Amino acid sequence: MNVRKLVTIVEEIYREGGREVIPVARVAVVAAVIDNPWARQGFVEDLGPGIEANASQLGELLAPLVVQALGAAPEAYGKGAVVGLDGEVEHGSALIHTLKFGDHFRKAANATTLLPAVEKRGPAGVSFDVPMKHITDATIRSHHQTVEVRVPDAPHPGEIVIALAAAAQGRPQQRLASLTTEQ
């Protein structure tokens, strides 16, 4: 795994809907810009060796960093991958849609649910929205939220941006009824 850089984003929301947010809503993202292990190779049938060589290391690197940046116990979490133009969306999916990657974040967040995800291909500076859901119950609506991520100089054509996002709470000022009220 060749990491070009790490980017950490911390967002704190003090006011929403014209009202103070108490406590302040906090969201953190840590993104790694890495070389795409499959770029410029043509169609690679077996992505397994690249997954084995990179996915667990990425999860092990990013999971503690995003929890540390959040500065609180995560209540919501998500993941994302943006593949540079010399790669395939499947390359990002291969790295983030494996327990070798995700279990590091589940353990760091004391989570049990599947990690919601986004994958896309794009040029350097493309933005992407990482979806997040509650760490133990994906039906808790208050924690369904997204955070926008953009790394101005990434991904280069032969790179992938891999990001983890965590929130210390649900959406600020959330007031939707629980899902069970509609069942």
Side-chain angles (χ1 to χ4, degrees):
M1 179 178 72
N2 186 15
V3 177
R4 178 165 66 89
K5 69 191 236 176
L6 294 174
V7 176
T8 301
I9 302 164
V10 177
E11 176 179 272
E12 293 181 326
I13 302 169
Y14 290 85
R15 294 189 67 77
E16 180 73 20
R19 293 188 173 187
E20 189 174 3
V21 175
I22 302 172
V24 171
R26 191 169 172 92
V27 177
V29 178
V30 176
V33 180
I34 66 166
D35 285 343
N36 180 340
W38 304 285
R40 299 180 196 94
Q41 295 181 32
F43 187 85
V44 176
E45 186 68 40
D46 182 6
L47 300 176
I51 294 168
E52 285 296 322
N54 296 283
S56 183
Q57 280 184 291
L58 275 168
E60 186 175 30
L61 171 68
L62 295 176
L65 293 176
V66 73
V67 173
Q68 179 182 14
L70 185 62
E75 288 188 14
Y77 69 162
K79 61 188 174 183
V82 177
V83 179
L85 296 176
D86 284 349
E88 302 172 39
V89 172
E90 188 70 2
H91 297 162
S93 296
L95 293 174
I96 68 172
H97 290 301
T98 173
L99 296 176
K100 294 173 188 322
F101 176 78
D103 277 352
H104 291 285
F105 199 10
R106 275 185 210 85
K107 182 177 178 185
N110 293 314
T112 56
T113 58
L114 291 175
L115 273 155
V118 64
E119 311 87 23
K120 68 189 273 184
R121 181 175 43 228
V126 67
S127 66
F128 57 106
D129 292 341
V130 177
M132 291 182 282
K133 292 193 177 187
H134 194 276
I135 62 168
T136 60
D137 185 348
T139 68
I140 297 176
R141 288 186 193 182
S142 60
H143 288 60
H144 294 193
Q145 55 190 310
T146 61
V147 60
E148 184 176 18
V149 180
R150 180 179 172 272
V151 179
D153 70 339
H156 290 168
E159 292 179 333
I160 304 175
V161 176
I162 302 290
L164 292 180
Q169 70 296 307
R171 294 182 311 277
Q173 315 296 25
Q174 75 79 28
R175 51 199 176 273
L176 295 178
S178 82
L179 185 61
T180 59
T181 62
E182 293 183 21
Q183 295 175 338

